[in-house]
């Protein structure tokens, strides 16, 4: 099924969603989502695997125009459209395997692809780029290949989990870089954990393919160690020295927040979303001695603290594990209870537990004003778990993409 829908571009910050509590502030870095004098004005984007549109959220805030977007899941499209009604771009709700290069828009500057990670993730079966999900990378490459030299965008941005680097002993990443080389792109690889911007540990790797002449400040030697190019990234360059790869020197990452205070939604003690005594006691009873001691320390503190928790299966039994720090674990697509994060609020001799809300997920992805009114909470959580963090993409755009594209037009 193909749905083409007019969607409205937003050059200004959107108003808060009706569900947002006025007494609970957005996380502070959301203020960075204001347009910064539209430095990317005129740059046109094709957004593959668009999901709920957080890639678009980041790029539009920097003045880019989403000329085309695609995804296969109707629930994600509904959230995408709810947050950018009547935009002039076209969202094609259909299987990427039916997309043809000849039908792509003209004058594209950037193509983005946050292709499925399930076959690359350490939690999956590790089928890699040969899997039915992560193998959609090849469909992205096919569409680029079908485009004429004049239409193929200057930059291609790939995003995925760190498992992309190690899948099949590094062979999958090598094949992907080889394919990008064949399409005329030199590749730059780096890694960013979203915890430098939001209180969520979300490590991701990025490949920026630059077609044609490299930017003047590019380097084709192995990169020096840095926060975005640790030793495992350096090994990628060493193992693929025969391929077309490059780096650009980028700024250091910010420190990022270290607690959930600006994320947690204000909620009264009698809100029904808090788990009742029976359910809470089951949660507390499942904790191993390590995590029970962690909870006891938090509970006995004189001030309230927030922690997130995941349900795990250990030795055939379900158990909950509480994070030792004040940030969230990596948000995941909700395929079951173990994929959802619970919130534990403890201190002054008490402890309460509930599921994290869609608004809290939105804030952890850098979009506190995002409309989260999906048909079910799980649909919203699924969409956020499968998305990019807005602040991370904005940083890449400011540090990398806009400079390269601006230089290309001089």
């Amino acid at each position: 099924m193909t749905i083409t829908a007019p969607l409205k571009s937003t050059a200004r910050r959107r108003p808060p969603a009706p569900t947002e509590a006025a007494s609970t502030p957005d996380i502070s870095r959301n203020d960075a989502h204001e347009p910064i004098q539209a430095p990317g004005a005129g740059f046109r984007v094709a957004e593959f695997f668009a999901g709920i549109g957080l890639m678009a959220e980041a790029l539009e805030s920097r003045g880019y125009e989403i000329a085309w977007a695609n995804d296969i899941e109707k629930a994600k499209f509904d959230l995408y459209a709810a947050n950018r009604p009547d935009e002039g771009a076209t969202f094609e709700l259909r299987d990427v395997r039916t997309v043809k290069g000849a039908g792509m828009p003209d004058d594209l500057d950037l193509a983005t692809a946050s292709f499925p990670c399930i076959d690359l993730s350490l939690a999956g079966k590790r089928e890699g780029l040969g899997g039915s999900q992560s193998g959609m990378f090849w469909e992205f490459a096919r569409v680029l290949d079908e485009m004429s030299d004049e239409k193929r965008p200057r930059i291609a941005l790939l995003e995925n989990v760190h498992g992309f680097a190690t899948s099949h002993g590094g062979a999958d990443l090598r094949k992907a870089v080889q394919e990008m080389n064949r399409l005329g792109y030199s590749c730059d690889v780096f890694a960013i954990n979203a915890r430098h911007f939001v209180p969520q540990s979300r490590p991701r790797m990025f490949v920026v393919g630059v077609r044609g002449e490299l930017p003047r400040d590019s380097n084709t030697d192995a990169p020096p160690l840095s926060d975005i190019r640790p030793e495992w990234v350096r090994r990628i360059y060493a193992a693929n020295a025969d391929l077309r790869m490059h780096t650009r020197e980028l700024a250091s990452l910010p420190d990022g927040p270290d607690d959930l205070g600006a994320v947690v939604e204000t909620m009264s003690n009698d809100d029904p979303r808090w788990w009742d005594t029976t359910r809470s006691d089951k949660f507390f009873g499942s904790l191993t001695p390590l995590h029970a001691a962690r909870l006891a320390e938090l509970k006995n503190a004189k001030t309230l603290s927030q922690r997130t928790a995941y349900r795990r299966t250990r030795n055939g039994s379900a158990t909950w594990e509480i994070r030792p720090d004040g940030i969230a674990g990596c948000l995941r697509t909700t395929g079951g209870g173990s994929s959802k994060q619970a919130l534990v609020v403890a201190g002054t001799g008490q402890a309460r537990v509930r599921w994290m809300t869609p608004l809290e997920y939105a804030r952890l992805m850098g979009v506190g004003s995002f409309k989260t009114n999906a048909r079910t909470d799980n649909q919203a959580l699924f969409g956020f778990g499968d998305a990019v963090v807005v602040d991370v993409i904005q940083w890449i755009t400011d540090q990398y993409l806009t400079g390269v594209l601006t230089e290309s037009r001089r």
Side-chain angles (χ1 to χ4, degrees):
M1 176 175 67
T2 301
I3 294 180
T4 56
L7 305 170
K8 184 177 181 180
S9 179
T10 56
R12 57 182 176 81
R13 191 176 182 182
R14 299 183 182 86
T19 57
E20 186 169 359
S23 59
T24 304
D26 283 352
I27 125 175
S28 61
R29 288 199 59 83
N30 282 346
D31 293 338
H33 299 167
E34 297 283 1
I36 51 172
Q37 299 180 355
F43 296 140
R44 288 164 52 82
V45 184
E47 187 187 12
F48 290 75
F49 314 103
I52 63 174
L54 299 199
M55 182 72 76
E57 183 86 10
L59 292 171
E60 286 176 337
S61 76
R62 280 0 191 201
Y64 287 59
E65 173 194 351
I66 308 300
W68 180 91
N70 165 256
D71 205 280
I72 195 173
E73 297 195 33
K74 176 67 163 58
K76 292 179 180 178
F77 164 75
D78 289 343
L79 282 174
Y80 191 108
N83 284 275
R84 46 185 47 78
D86 304 321
E87 189 176 78
T90 297
F91 189 114
E92 296 192 5
L93 180 64
R94 57 169 164 150
D95 192 326
V96 69
R97 289 173 291 190
T98 68
V99 175
K100 304 298 181 185
M104 295 297 292
D106 294 330
D107 301 324
L108 290 174
D109 299 284
L110 170 66
T112 67
S114 295
F115 58 100
C117 69
I118 188 168
D119 299 310
L120 299 169
S121 171
L122 296 178
K125 295 181 180 180
R126 299 289 276 169
E127 294 179 349
L129 294 187
S132 61
Q133 298 294 316
S134 299
M136 289 298 104
F137 162 79
W138 299 111
E139 295 301 320
F140 168 71
R142 173 191 57 77
V143 175
L144 293 183
D145 192 26
E146 290 175 356
M147 298 172 69
S148 66
D149 284 348
E150 292 75 19
K151 290 181 66 172
R152 197 172 299 155
R154 165 75 162 146
I155 297 179
L157 173 64
L158 309 179
E159 179 266 353
N160 218 289
V161 295
H162 285 189
F164 187 18
T166 57
S167 179
H168 292 143
D172 279 342
L173 179 58
R174 178 176 174 81
K175 289 176 182 177
V177 173
Q178 285 177 321
E179 180 66 4
M180 297 303 290
N181 284 177
R182 189 183 69 81
L183 295 171
Y185 294 93
S186 175
C187 293
D188 189 349
V189 179
F190 52 90
I192 299 177
N193 191 326
R195 69 180 303 168
H196 289 278
F197 302 91
V198 295
Q200 177 195 174
S201 178
R202 192 177 186 84
R204 291 293 184 266
M205 63 174 289
F206 298 86
V207 180
V208 178
V210 178
R211 189 166 176 269
E213 269 189 52
L214 291 179
R216 287 191 296 270
D217 60 351
S218 297
N219 194 322
T220 56
D221 298 328
L225 285 174
S226 67
D227 51 5
I228 65 167
R229 296 188 181 94
E231 184 56 39
W232 66 268
V233 170
R234 282 169 49 89
R235 288 197 293 269
I236 291 171
Y237 282 82
N240 298 285
D242 57 317
L243 303 183
R244 285 188 62 210
M245 300 186 70
H246 70 279
T247 62
R248 295 190 73 214
E249 185 176 350
L250 304 176
S252 297
L253 296 170
D255 291 336
D258 58 5
D259 66 70
L260 294 163
V263 166
V264 173
E265 189 173 355
T266 299
M267 201 173 292
S268 64
N269 291 342
D270 59 356
D271 192 292
R273 287 172 288 185
W274 291 110
W275 293 354
D276 61 23
T277 301
T278 300
R279 191 172 189 181
S280 296
D281 286 347
K282 188 175 181 180
F283 172 93
F284 300 140
S286 80
L287 299 175
T288 63
L290 170 66
H291 292 273
R294 185 172 292 165
L295 177 63
E297 183 179 357
L298 294 170
K299 187 176 177 179
N300 293 331
K302 295 181 180 180
T303 57
L304 292 177
S305 298
Q306 300 98 1
R307 294 290 187 273
T308 60
Y310 269 123
R311 188 166 59 196
R312 310 287 195 189
T313 300
R314 304 295 188 194
N315 300 318
S317 299
T319 181
W320 282 90
E321 297 182 355
I322 301 172
R323 278 188 69 94
D325 54 21
I327 67 174
C330 185
L331 302 186
R332 303 175 183 174
T333 54
T334 50
S338 62
S339 298
K340 295 168 62 176
Q341 291 192 60
L343 178 74
V344 181
V345 178
T348 65
Q350 58 185 323
R352 290 176 293 161
V353 188
R354 61 171 171 80
W355 292 119
M356 295 197 79
T357 67
L359 175 57
E360 289 164 346
Y361 267 46
R363 289 171 174 165
L364 287 171
M365 298 302 288
V367 278
S369 60
F370 198 81
K371 293 179 181 178
T372 61
N373 51 333
R375 288 194 299 273
T376 68
D377 279 0
N378 270 357
Q379 285 181 339
L381 300 183
F382 184 93
F384 287 119
D386 207 25
V388 295
V389 172
V390 168
D391 302 73
V392 173
I393 301 304
Q394 288 177 325
W395 187 89
I396 294 171
T397 303
D398 297 343
Q399 290 288 322
Y400 205 127
L401 308 181
T402 298
V404 174
L405 292 174
T406 301
E407 181 180 312
S408 300
R409 289 192 174 180
R410 288 174 182 163

